[in-house]
Amino acid sequence: MQRILIALLQFKNPILYLFLLGLSLSFASKRSSFHEYTLEKYGFFFSSKLYATRDKITRFIHLKQVNEQLLEENERLKTAALNSKDLLLYPTAMKTEKRFPFTVKKAHVLKNSFQNQRNFLTLDIGLKNGVKPEMGVISNNGILGVVHSVSENYANVISILHQDLKINVRTSQSPAFGSLVWSGKGPQEFKVEDIIVSNAHIAVGDTLITGGMSSYFPLGIPIGAISKLEKTEGSGYYSIEAQLFEDPSQIYYAYVIENMDFKEIQSLQKELPQ
Amino acid sequence: MKVFSLVPVFSFVILVLAQVLVFNHLHIFGSINPMFYLLFFFVYRFESNQTALIGLAFLLGFLIDFLSQSGGAHTVATLTIGFIRPLIIRYAFGVTMETPLSYFSDTRTPNKLIYLFLLVLLHHSLYFSLVYFSWDALSLILKNTLLTSIFSLILMGIALSFYPNKK
């Protein structure tokens, strides 16, 4: 105690000075809002650095949780967006009810490949979650493929990067339609085959959307854009190359589309004479 | 019994009144108000109680601030000068056995001038930095410090020349 007192007495001048300095600074900040503001600004400068660091750490810790939340939100938004009748991209196409009713399920892509000519994906949802074969699988900016086989917890999907899978497409501007097939080169390079030209005004840069003629994908999901257009001599067909909006080999989150009328459509088609 | 000198008390009161009533209303060239009250640091004897000086300096600045409705700038600047005055004295007069007892007992004029300059410059630069309190106003701070220092020094020089040079 005595030592403390001696130390205090020894430094009484600096202590007194600092005390009075604090007092006068507090007067200054009380009397002038400008000084108050400036002092607060300096205080805030330091505290904000501290909070920013803390925020970075906590955000990193919560990253996985936030990803899940975003995926759930996306699932809802995707359903709403696909169900809405006036999408920005093709307002006229949506006016008429040309689509089957569907629901959207979110999924993680567990395995993805693009090296083969016939690629498959694995999703982490299966029979338990109501996934059945021949459901469409889409991603944020395009389509991924069609469900091929399903186990209890997993689903095997024929990738869009599979040379036997043909997707029915049309352009958003004209009703001309054809089949989209992978060219087998880059993961974003596709061809459009069997195009039916009905006085079609097709140009490079036109957006390709799903045609709605299959029971896998509803009308109007954007897939890619026409990158090259050639009219072959002597025939009415175009030779069209297309570029996807999104690289299907780099997808980690997917949405499975369930066609609610699938059974009905299938049974109808079975009745047709083969 | 030690006789308590009334000189600092008188000069304290007179300096505060003079500053508030006269020198704060000079407005030389429109804006310059010399700070005459710094004379207190000459009147207060060099060897006197340092702790008391800190308290008195705070009181002086506070009264000036209070009576002239300024922010806390006078208080902070004067308080700081009161705190570092021993340093200034040491720098101006040197650490020798001849360190003067008071400003007036010393006859070496260059030392007195250095002391005066240091005191006024330090006080004014502190004061104007606190008034503007922004890096953007650096040129304004320097300009005001310089001009006000010149007039403060002139006025205090005149006042000090009236004091008898006691031996």
Side-chain angles (χ1 to χ4, degrees), chain A residues 59-90:
Chain A
R59 247 195 265 173
F60 183 75
I61 291 167
H62 291 135
L63 219 52
K64 204 178 153 75
Q65 194 190 336
V66 169
N67 267 351
E68 288 304 311
Q69 281 171 358
L70 286 176
L71 195 60
E72 261 166 43
E73 195 182 338
N74 266 358
E75 183 189 11
R76 285 200 303 277
L77 291 175
K78 203 90 195 165
T79 314
L82 290 176
N83 275 321
S84 76
K85 300 230 162 28
D86 44 9
L87 290 180
L88 279 174
L89 205 53
Y90 14 81

PDB file of all heavy atoms in Angstrom, chain A residues 59-90:
ATOM      1  N   ARG A  59     -18.272 -15.151 -39.535  1.00  0.00           N
ATOM      2  CA  ARG A  59     -18.879 -15.446 -40.826  1.00  0.00           C
ATOM      3  C   ARG A  59     -18.300 -16.712 -41.424  1.00  0.00           C
ATOM      4  O   ARG A  59     -19.003 -17.512 -42.015  1.00  0.00           O
ATOM      5  CB  ARG A  59     -18.661 -14.265 -41.782  1.00  0.00           C
ATOM      6  CG  ARG A  59     -19.967 -13.588 -42.100  1.00  0.00           C
ATOM      7  CD  ARG A  59     -19.814 -12.706 -43.283  1.00  0.00           C
ATOM      8  NE  ARG A  59     -19.550 -11.340 -42.878  1.00  0.00           N
ATOM      9  CZ  ARG A  59     -19.250 -10.383 -43.734  1.00  0.00           C
ATOM     10  NH1 ARG A  59     -19.156 -10.647 -45.012  1.00  0.00           N
ATOM     11  NH2 ARG A  59     -19.058  -9.174 -43.317  1.00  0.00           N
ATOM     12  N   PHE A  60     -16.980 -16.869 -41.274  1.00  0.00           N
ATOM     13  CA  PHE A  60     -16.335 -18.059 -41.808  1.00  0.00           C
ATOM     14  C   PHE A  60     -16.869 -19.299 -41.116  1.00  0.00           C
ATOM     15  O   PHE A  60     -17.143 -20.311 -41.755  1.00  0.00           O
ATOM     16  CB  PHE A  60     -14.822 -17.959 -41.611  1.00  0.00           C
ATOM     17  CG  PHE A  60     -14.081 -19.117 -42.205  1.00  0.00           C
ATOM     18  CD1 PHE A  60     -13.908 -19.210 -43.569  1.00  0.00           C
ATOM     19  CD2 PHE A  60     -13.587 -20.125 -41.395  1.00  0.00           C
ATOM     20  CE1 PHE A  60     -13.249 -20.275 -44.120  1.00  0.00           C
ATOM     21  CE2 PHE A  60     -12.924 -21.197 -41.944  1.00  0.00           C
ATOM     22  CZ  PHE A  60     -12.750 -21.269 -43.313  1.00  0.00           C
ATOM     23  N   ILE A  61     -17.081 -19.200 -39.807  1.00  0.00           N
ATOM     24  CA  ILE A  61     -17.570 -20.346 -39.053  1.00  0.00           C
ATOM     25  C   ILE A  61     -18.988 -20.704 -39.505  1.00  0.00           C
ATOM     26  O   ILE A  61     -19.351 -21.867 -39.616  1.00  0.00           O
ATOM     27  CB  ILE A  61     -17.529 -20.036 -37.544  1.00  0.00           C
ATOM     28  CG1 ILE A  61     -16.076 -19.965 -37.086  1.00  0.00           C
ATOM     29  CG2 ILE A  61     -18.277 -21.107 -36.737  1.00  0.00           C
ATOM     30  CD1 ILE A  61     -15.882 -19.370 -35.723  1.00  0.00           C
ATOM     31  N   HIS A  62     -19.776 -19.693 -39.809  1.00  0.00           N
ATOM     32  CA  HIS A  62     -21.173 -19.939 -40.159  1.00  0.00           C
ATOM     33  C   HIS A  62     -21.395 -20.175 -41.653  1.00  0.00           C
ATOM     34  O   HIS A  62     -22.525 -20.264 -42.092  1.00  0.00           O
ATOM     35  CB  HIS A  62     -22.032 -18.764 -39.704  1.00  0.00           C
ATOM     36  CG  HIS A  62     -22.141 -18.681 -38.220  1.00  0.00           C
ATOM     37  ND1 HIS A  62     -22.012 -17.516 -37.523  1.00  0.00           N
ATOM     38  CD2 HIS A  62     -22.351 -19.631 -37.293  1.00  0.00           C
ATOM     39  CE1 HIS A  62     -22.120 -17.749 -36.238  1.00  0.00           C
ATOM     40  NE2 HIS A  62     -22.330 -19.025 -36.067  1.00  0.00           N
ATOM     41  N   LEU A  63     -20.292 -20.246 -42.404  1.00  0.00           N
ATOM     42  CA  LEU A  63     -20.406 -20.328 -43.857  1.00  0.00           C
ATOM     43  C   LEU A  63     -21.266 -21.499 -44.324  1.00  0.00           C
ATOM     44  O   LEU A  63     -22.131 -21.358 -45.181  1.00  0.00           O
ATOM     45  CB  LEU A  63     -18.997 -20.468 -44.436  1.00  0.00           C
ATOM     46  CG  LEU A  63     -18.711 -19.704 -45.718  1.00  0.00           C
ATOM     47  CD1 LEU A  63     -19.101 -18.253 -45.545  1.00  0.00           C
ATOM     48  CD2 LEU A  63     -17.237 -19.797 -46.054  1.00  0.00           C
ATOM     49  N   LYS A  64     -21.053 -22.661 -43.732  1.00  0.00           N
ATOM     50  CA  LYS A  64     -21.767 -23.867 -44.138  1.00  0.00           C
ATOM     51  C   LYS A  64     -23.264 -23.710 -43.889  1.00  0.00           C
ATOM     52  O   LYS A  64     -24.084 -23.999 -44.757  1.00  0.00           O
ATOM     53  CB  LYS A  64     -21.220 -25.048 -43.329  1.00  0.00           C
ATOM     54  CG  LYS A  64     -21.421 -26.390 -43.997  1.00  0.00           C
ATOM     55  CD  LYS A  64     -20.788 -27.455 -43.130  1.00  0.00           C
ATOM     56  CE  LYS A  64     -21.483 -28.783 -43.331  1.00  0.00           C
ATOM     57  NZ  LYS A  64     -21.113 -29.414 -44.591  1.00  0.00           N
ATOM     58  N   GLN A  65     -23.563 -23.195 -42.706  1.00  0.00           N
ATOM     59  CA  GLN A  65     -24.961 -22.991 -42.323  1.00  0.00           C
ATOM     60  C   GLN A  65     -25.642 -22.002 -43.272  1.00  0.00           C
ATOM     61  O   GLN A  65     -26.768 -22.221 -43.722  1.00  0.00           O
ATOM     62  CB  GLN A  65     -24.971 -22.454 -40.905  1.00  0.00           C
ATOM     63  CG  GLN A  65     -26.307 -22.501 -40.213  1.00  0.00           C
ATOM     64  CD  GLN A  65     -26.238 -21.717 -38.920  1.00  0.00           C
ATOM     65  OE1 GLN A  65     -25.159 -21.539 -38.351  1.00  0.00           O
ATOM     66  NE2 GLN A  65     -27.364 -21.240 -38.457  1.00  0.00           N
ATOM     67  N   VAL A  66     -24.911 -20.932 -43.594  1.00  0.00           N
ATOM     68  CA  VAL A  66     -25.469 -19.909 -44.482  1.00  0.00           C
ATOM     69  C   VAL A  66     -25.705 -20.491 -45.860  1.00  0.00           C
ATOM     70  O   VAL A  66     -26.724 -20.229 -46.498  1.00  0.00           O
ATOM     71  CB  VAL A  66     -24.524 -18.688 -44.543  1.00  0.00           C
ATOM     72  CG1 VAL A  66     -24.944 -17.743 -45.648  1.00  0.00           C
ATOM     73  CG2 VAL A  66     -24.515 -17.975 -43.220  1.00  0.00           C
ATOM     74  N   ASN A  67     -24.770 -21.329 -46.325  1.00  0.00           N
ATOM     75  CA  ASN A  67     -24.935 -21.972 -47.627  1.00  0.00           C
ATOM     76  C   ASN A  67     -26.217 -22.782 -47.671  1.00  0.00           C
ATOM     77  O   ASN A  67     -26.963 -22.736 -48.657  1.00  0.00           O
ATOM     78  CB  ASN A  67     -23.747 -22.899 -47.896  1.00  0.00           C
ATOM     79  CG  ASN A  67     -22.670 -22.186 -48.661  1.00  0.00           C
ATOM     80  OD1 ASN A  67     -22.876 -21.062 -49.126  1.00  0.00           O
ATOM     81  ND2 ASN A  67     -21.526 -22.817 -48.801  1.00  0.00           N
ATOM     82  N   GLU A  68     -26.473 -23.512 -46.604  1.00  0.00           N
ATOM     83  CA  GLU A  68     -27.691 -24.329 -46.541  1.00  0.00           C
ATOM     84  C   GLU A  68     -28.932 -23.450 -46.593  1.00  0.00           C
ATOM     85  O   GLU A  68     -29.882 -23.744 -47.318  1.00  0.00           O
ATOM     86  CB  GLU A  68     -27.693 -25.173 -45.253  1.00  0.00           C
ATOM     87  CG  GLU A  68     -26.691 -26.314 -45.267  1.00  0.00           C
ATOM     88  CD  GLU A  68     -26.873 -27.242 -46.461  1.00  0.00           C
ATOM     89  OE1 GLU A  68     -28.009 -27.659 -46.719  1.00  0.00           O
ATOM     90  OE2 GLU A  68     -25.868 -27.523 -47.149  1.00  0.00           O
ATOM     91  N   GLN A  69     -28.871 -22.351 -45.835  1.00  0.00           N
ATOM     92  CA  GLN A  69     -30.021 -21.439 -45.817  1.00  0.00           C
ATOM     93  C   GLN A  69     -30.273 -20.874 -47.206  1.00  0.00           C
ATOM     94  O   GLN A  69     -31.412 -20.780 -47.670  1.00  0.00           O
ATOM     95  CB  GLN A  69     -29.765 -20.297 -44.842  1.00  0.00           C
ATOM     96  CG  GLN A  69     -29.991 -20.682 -43.395  1.00  0.00           C
ATOM     97  CD  GLN A  69     -29.512 -19.605 -42.459  1.00  0.00           C
ATOM     98  OE1 GLN A  69     -28.976 -18.589 -42.885  1.00  0.00           O
ATOM     99  NE2 GLN A  69     -29.709 -19.824 -41.172  1.00  0.00           N
ATOM    100  N   LEU A  70     -29.170 -20.496 -47.870  1.00  0.00           N
ATOM    101  CA  LEU A  70     -29.305 -19.918 -49.208  1.00  0.00           C
ATOM    102  C   LEU A  70     -29.876 -20.929 -50.179  1.00  0.00           C
ATOM    103  O   LEU A  70     -30.698 -20.596 -51.039  1.00  0.00           O
ATOM    104  CB  LEU A  70     -27.948 -19.432 -49.713  1.00  0.00           C
ATOM    105  CG  LEU A  70     -27.441 -18.150 -49.069  1.00  0.00           C
ATOM    106  CD1 LEU A  70     -26.056 -17.835 -49.567  1.00  0.00           C
ATOM    107  CD2 LEU A  70     -28.380 -17.000 -49.378  1.00  0.00           C
ATOM    108  N   LEU A  71     -29.435 -22.184 -50.039  1.00  0.00           N
ATOM    109  CA  LEU A  71     -29.927 -23.235 -50.922  1.00  0.00           C
ATOM    110  C   LEU A  71     -31.428 -23.429 -50.738  1.00  0.00           C
ATOM    111  O   LEU A  71     -32.178 -23.561 -51.704  1.00  0.00           O
ATOM    112  CB  LEU A  71     -29.175 -24.526 -50.608  1.00  0.00           C
ATOM    113  CG  LEU A  71     -29.289 -25.636 -51.644  1.00  0.00           C
ATOM    114  CD1 LEU A  71     -28.744 -25.146 -52.962  1.00  0.00           C
ATOM    115  CD2 LEU A  71     -28.535 -26.861 -51.184  1.00  0.00           C
ATOM    116  N   GLU A  72     -31.863 -23.393 -49.473  1.00  0.00           N
ATOM    117  CA  GLU A  72     -33.293 -23.542 -49.202  1.00  0.00           C
ATOM    118  C   GLU A  72     -34.084 -22.383 -49.792  1.00  0.00           C
ATOM    119  O   GLU A  72     -35.141 -22.564 -50.381  1.00  0.00           O
ATOM    120  CB  GLU A  72     -33.526 -23.609 -47.695  1.00  0.00           C
ATOM    121  CG  GLU A  72     -33.683 -25.023 -47.191  1.00  0.00           C
ATOM    122  CD  GLU A  72     -33.558 -25.084 -45.684  1.00  0.00           C
ATOM    123  OE1 GLU A  72     -34.128 -24.207 -45.017  1.00  0.00           O
ATOM    124  OE2 GLU A  72     -32.870 -25.994 -45.190  1.00  0.00           O
ATOM    125  N   GLU A  73     -33.498 -21.180 -49.616  1.00  0.00           N
ATOM    126  CA  GLU A  73     -34.162 -20.002 -50.150  1.00  0.00           C
ATOM    127  C   GLU A  73     -34.243 -20.099 -51.669  1.00  0.00           C
ATOM    128  O   GLU A  73     -35.272 -19.791 -52.275  1.00  0.00           O
ATOM    129  CB  GLU A  73     -33.368 -18.770 -49.734  1.00  0.00           C
ATOM    130  CG  GLU A  73     -34.124 -17.477 -49.921  1.00  0.00           C
ATOM    131  CD  GLU A  73     -33.277 -16.281 -49.544  1.00  0.00           C
ATOM    132  OE1 GLU A  73     -32.323 -16.466 -48.777  1.00  0.00           O
ATOM    133  OE2 GLU A  73     -33.566 -15.194 -50.033  1.00  0.00           O
ATOM    134  N   ASN A  74     -33.131 -20.541 -52.287  1.00  0.00           N
ATOM    135  CA  ASN A  74     -33.100 -20.681 -53.732  1.00  0.00           C
ATOM    136  C   ASN A  74     -34.144 -21.665 -54.216  1.00  0.00           C
ATOM    137  O   ASN A  74     -34.740 -21.468 -55.270  1.00  0.00           O
ATOM    138  CB  ASN A  74     -31.718 -21.168 -54.169  1.00  0.00           C
ATOM    139  CG  ASN A  74     -30.837 -20.010 -54.539  1.00  0.00           C
ATOM    140  OD1 ASN A  74     -31.274 -18.860 -54.504  1.00  0.00           O
ATOM    141  ND2 ASN A  74     -29.619 -20.292 -54.893  1.00  0.00           N
ATOM    142  N   GLU A  75     -34.340 -22.737 -53.441  1.00  0.00           N
ATOM    143  CA  GLU A  75     -35.332 -23.738 -53.826  1.00  0.00           C
ATOM    144  C   GLU A  75     -36.704 -23.100 -53.947  1.00  0.00           C
ATOM    145  O   GLU A  75     -37.417 -23.286 -54.936  1.00  0.00           O
ATOM    146  CB  GLU A  75     -35.342 -24.843 -52.777  1.00  0.00           C
ATOM    147  CG  GLU A  75     -36.282 -25.976 -53.097  1.00  0.00           C
ATOM    148  CD  GLU A  75     -36.408 -26.932 -51.923  1.00  0.00           C
ATOM    149  OE1 GLU A  75     -35.922 -26.586 -50.829  1.00  0.00           O
ATOM    150  OE2 GLU A  75     -37.001 -28.000 -52.116  1.00  0.00           O
ATOM    151  N   ARG A  76     -37.024 -22.288 -52.915  1.00  0.00           N
ATOM    152  CA  ARG A  76     -38.329 -21.617 -52.935  1.00  0.00           C
ATOM    153  C   ARG A  76     -38.429 -20.642 -54.099  1.00  0.00           C
ATOM    154  O   ARG A  76     -39.413 -20.590 -54.818  1.00  0.00           O
ATOM    155  CB  ARG A  76     -38.543 -20.865 -51.617  1.00  0.00           C
ATOM    156  CG  ARG A  76     -38.879 -21.750 -50.460  1.00  0.00           C
ATOM    157  CD  ARG A  76     -39.542 -20.960 -49.357  1.00  0.00           C
ATOM    158  NE  ARG A  76     -38.736 -19.849 -48.882  1.00  0.00           N
ATOM    159  CZ  ARG A  76     -37.763 -19.965 -47.976  1.00  0.00           C
ATOM    160  NH1 ARG A  76     -37.473 -21.147 -47.464  1.00  0.00           N
ATOM    161  NH2 ARG A  76     -37.078 -18.923 -47.589  1.00  0.00           N
ATOM    162  N   LEU A  77     -37.326 -19.854 -54.288  1.00  0.00           N
ATOM    163  CA  LEU A  77     -37.343 -18.837 -55.332  1.00  0.00           C
ATOM    164  C   LEU A  77     -37.406 -19.469 -56.710  1.00  0.00           C
ATOM    165  O   LEU A  77     -38.079 -18.972 -57.616  1.00  0.00           O
ATOM    166  CB  LEU A  77     -36.100 -17.958 -55.220  1.00  0.00           C
ATOM    167  CG  LEU A  77     -36.056 -17.050 -54.005  1.00  0.00           C
ATOM    168  CD1 LEU A  77     -34.739 -16.321 -53.942  1.00  0.00           C
ATOM    169  CD2 LEU A  77     -37.199 -16.051 -54.055  1.00  0.00           C
ATOM    170  N   LYS A  78     -36.681 -20.595 -56.864  1.00  0.00           N
ATOM    171  CA  LYS A  78     -36.670 -21.289 -58.139  1.00  0.00           C
ATOM    172  C   LYS A  78     -38.079 -21.756 -58.487  1.00  0.00           C
ATOM    173  O   LYS A  78     -38.528 -21.589 -59.615  1.00  0.00           O
ATOM    174  CB  LYS A  78     -35.736 -22.494 -58.031  1.00  0.00           C
ATOM    175  CG  LYS A  78     -35.206 -22.974 -59.338  1.00  0.00           C
ATOM    176  CD  LYS A  78     -33.910 -22.279 -59.661  1.00  0.00           C
ATOM    177  CE  LYS A  78     -33.551 -22.482 -61.117  1.00  0.00           C
ATOM    178  NZ  LYS A  78     -32.513 -21.544 -61.527  1.00  0.00           N
ATOM    179  N   THR A  79     -38.757 -22.310 -57.507  1.00  0.00           N
ATOM    180  CA  THR A  79     -40.127 -22.757 -57.734  1.00  0.00           C
ATOM    181  C   THR A  79     -40.991 -21.586 -58.152  1.00  0.00           C
ATOM    182  O   THR A  79     -41.741 -21.665 -59.127  1.00  0.00           O
ATOM    183  CB  THR A  79     -40.698 -23.365 -56.438  1.00  0.00           C
ATOM    184  OG1 THR A  79     -39.718 -24.235 -55.901  1.00  0.00           O
ATOM    185  CG2 THR A  79     -41.970 -24.124 -56.715  1.00  0.00           C
ATOM    186  N   ALA A  80     -40.844 -20.474 -57.419  1.00  0.00           N
ATOM    187  CA  ALA A  80     -41.669 -19.310 -57.722  1.00  0.00           C
ATOM    188  C   ALA A  80     -41.337 -18.770 -59.102  1.00  0.00           C
ATOM    189  O   ALA A  80     -42.233 -18.425 -59.884  1.00  0.00           O
ATOM    190  CB  ALA A  80     -41.445 -18.236 -56.672  1.00  0.00           C
ATOM    191  N   ALA A  81     -40.040 -18.714 -59.419  1.00  0.00           N
ATOM    192  CA  ALA A  81     -39.626 -18.126 -60.687  1.00  0.00           C
ATOM    193  C   ALA A  81     -40.098 -18.978 -61.853  1.00  0.00           C
ATOM    194  O   ALA A  81     -40.585 -18.466 -62.854  1.00  0.00           O
ATOM    195  CB  ALA A  81     -38.107 -17.974 -60.725  1.00  0.00           C
ATOM    196  N   LEU A  82     -39.947 -20.307 -61.710  1.00  0.00           N
ATOM    197  CA  LEU A  82     -40.343 -21.180 -62.818  1.00  0.00           C
ATOM    198  C   LEU A  82     -41.848 -21.231 -62.965  1.00  0.00           C
ATOM    199  O   LEU A  82     -42.370 -21.458 -64.050  1.00  0.00           O
ATOM    200  CB  LEU A  82     -39.785 -22.582 -62.595  1.00  0.00           C
ATOM    201  CG  LEU A  82     -38.273 -22.710 -62.738  1.00  0.00           C
ATOM    202  CD1 LEU A  82     -37.827 -24.107 -62.394  1.00  0.00           C
ATOM    203  CD2 LEU A  82     -37.852 -22.368 -64.160  1.00  0.00           C
ATOM    204  N   ASN A  83     -42.561 -21.016 -61.870  1.00  0.00           N
ATOM    205  CA  ASN A  83     -44.015 -21.073 -61.934  1.00  0.00           C
ATOM    206  C   ASN A  83     -44.642 -19.774 -62.410  1.00  0.00           C
ATOM    207  O   ASN A  83     -45.794 -19.755 -62.801  1.00  0.00           O
ATOM    208  CB  ASN A  83     -44.577 -21.415 -60.562  1.00  0.00           C
ATOM    209  CG  ASN A  83     -44.584 -22.914 -60.346  1.00  0.00           C
ATOM    210  OD1 ASN A  83     -44.874 -23.658 -61.275  1.00  0.00           O
ATOM    211  ND2 ASN A  83     -44.241 -23.334 -59.154  1.00  0.00           N
ATOM    212  N   SER A  84     -43.880 -18.697 -62.325  1.00  0.00           N
ATOM    213  CA  SER A  84     -44.472 -17.407 -62.673  1.00  0.00           C
ATOM    214  C   SER A  84     -44.737 -17.350 -64.170  1.00  0.00           C
ATOM    215  O   SER A  84     -44.029 -17.952 -64.967  1.00  0.00           O
ATOM    216  CB  SER A  84     -43.541 -16.272 -62.264  1.00  0.00           C
ATOM    217  OG  SER A  84     -42.484 -16.197 -63.182  1.00  0.00           O
ATOM    218  N   LYS A  85     -45.744 -16.607 -64.528  1.00  0.00           N
ATOM    219  CA  LYS A  85     -46.165 -16.610 -65.933  1.00  0.00           C
ATOM    220  C   LYS A  85     -45.486 -15.526 -66.745  1.00  0.00           C
ATOM    221  O   LYS A  85     -45.611 -15.480 -67.949  1.00  0.00           O
ATOM    222  CB  LYS A  85     -47.677 -16.452 -66.003  1.00  0.00           C
ATOM    223  CG  LYS A  85     -48.365 -17.588 -65.274  1.00  0.00           C
ATOM    224  CD  LYS A  85     -49.405 -18.214 -66.107  1.00  0.00           C
ATOM    225  CE  LYS A  85     -49.771 -19.589 -65.582  1.00  0.00           C
ATOM    226  NZ  LYS A  85     -49.589 -19.767 -64.141  1.00  0.00           N
ATOM    227  N   ASP A  86     -44.807 -14.607 -66.105  1.00  0.00           N
ATOM    228  CA  ASP A  86     -44.127 -13.584 -66.903  1.00  0.00           C
ATOM    229  C   ASP A  86     -42.669 -13.464 -66.475  1.00  0.00           C
ATOM    230  O   ASP A  86     -42.330 -12.653 -65.640  1.00  0.00           O
ATOM    231  CB  ASP A  86     -44.839 -12.247 -66.826  1.00  0.00           C
ATOM    232  CG  ASP A  86     -45.252 -11.889 -65.418  1.00  0.00           C
ATOM    233  OD1 ASP A  86     -44.831 -12.612 -64.483  1.00  0.00           O
ATOM    234  OD2 ASP A  86     -45.950 -10.907 -65.253  1.00  0.00           O
ATOM    235  N   LEU A  87     -41.839 -14.290 -67.049  1.00  0.00           N
ATOM    236  CA  LEU A  87     -40.406 -14.171 -66.819  1.00  0.00           C
ATOM    237  C   LEU A  87     -39.894 -13.036 -67.697  1.00  0.00           C
ATOM    238  O   LEU A  87     -40.408 -12.803 -68.778  1.00  0.00           O
ATOM    239  CB  LEU A  87     -39.695 -15.463 -67.180  1.00  0.00           C
ATOM    240  CG  LEU A  87     -39.964 -16.644 -66.253  1.00  0.00           C
ATOM    241  CD1 LEU A  87     -39.187 -17.847 -66.727  1.00  0.00           C
ATOM    242  CD2 LEU A  87     -39.574 -16.299 -64.833  1.00  0.00           C
ATOM    243  N   LEU A  88     -38.868 -12.359 -67.219  1.00  0.00           N
ATOM    244  CA  LEU A  88     -38.338 -11.206 -67.944  1.00  0.00           C
ATOM    245  C   LEU A  88     -37.839 -11.584 -69.332  1.00  0.00           C
ATOM    246  O   LEU A  88     -37.977 -10.839 -70.290  1.00  0.00           O
ATOM    247  CB  LEU A  88     -37.181 -10.599 -67.156  1.00  0.00           C
ATOM    248  CG  LEU A  88     -37.564  -9.678 -66.021  1.00  0.00           C
ATOM    249  CD1 LEU A  88     -36.329  -9.271 -65.259  1.00  0.00           C
ATOM    250  CD2 LEU A  88     -38.274  -8.447 -66.572  1.00  0.00           C
ATOM    251  N   LEU A  89     -37.274 -12.778 -69.416  1.00  0.00           N
ATOM    252  CA  LEU A  89     -36.568 -13.162 -70.630  1.00  0.00           C
ATOM    253  C   LEU A  89     -37.520 -13.414 -71.803  1.00  0.00           C
ATOM    254  O   LEU A  89     -37.225 -13.073 -72.931  1.00  0.00           O
ATOM    255  CB  LEU A  89     -35.740 -14.405 -70.319  1.00  0.00           C
ATOM    256  CG  LEU A  89     -34.523 -14.670 -71.168  1.00  0.00           C
ATOM    257  CD1 LEU A  89     -33.627 -13.445 -71.194  1.00  0.00           C
ATOM    258  CD2 LEU A  89     -33.769 -15.852 -70.611  1.00  0.00           C
ATOM    259  N   TYR A  90     -38.639 -14.009 -71.501  1.00  0.00           N
ATOM    260  CA  TYR A  90     -39.552 -14.353 -72.597  1.00  0.00           C
ATOM    261  C   TYR A  90     -40.975 -14.108 -72.152  1.00  0.00           C
ATOM    262  O   TYR A  90     -41.711 -15.055 -71.854  1.00  0.00           O
ATOM    263  CB  TYR A  90     -39.394 -15.808 -73.042  1.00  0.00           C
ATOM    264  CG  TYR A  90     -38.614 -16.611 -72.069  1.00  0.00           C
ATOM    265  CD1 TYR A  90     -39.215 -17.124 -70.916  1.00  0.00           C
ATOM    266  CD2 TYR A  90     -37.261 -16.799 -72.264  1.00  0.00           C
ATOM    267  CE1 TYR A  90     -38.492 -17.812 -69.990  1.00  0.00           C
ATOM    268  CE2 TYR A  90     -36.528 -17.489 -71.330  1.00  0.00           C
ATOM    269  CZ  TYR A  90     -37.134 -18.007 -70.212  1.00  0.00           C
ATOM    270  OH  TYR A  90     -36.401 -18.670 -69.294  1.00  0.00           O
TER     271      TYR A  90
END
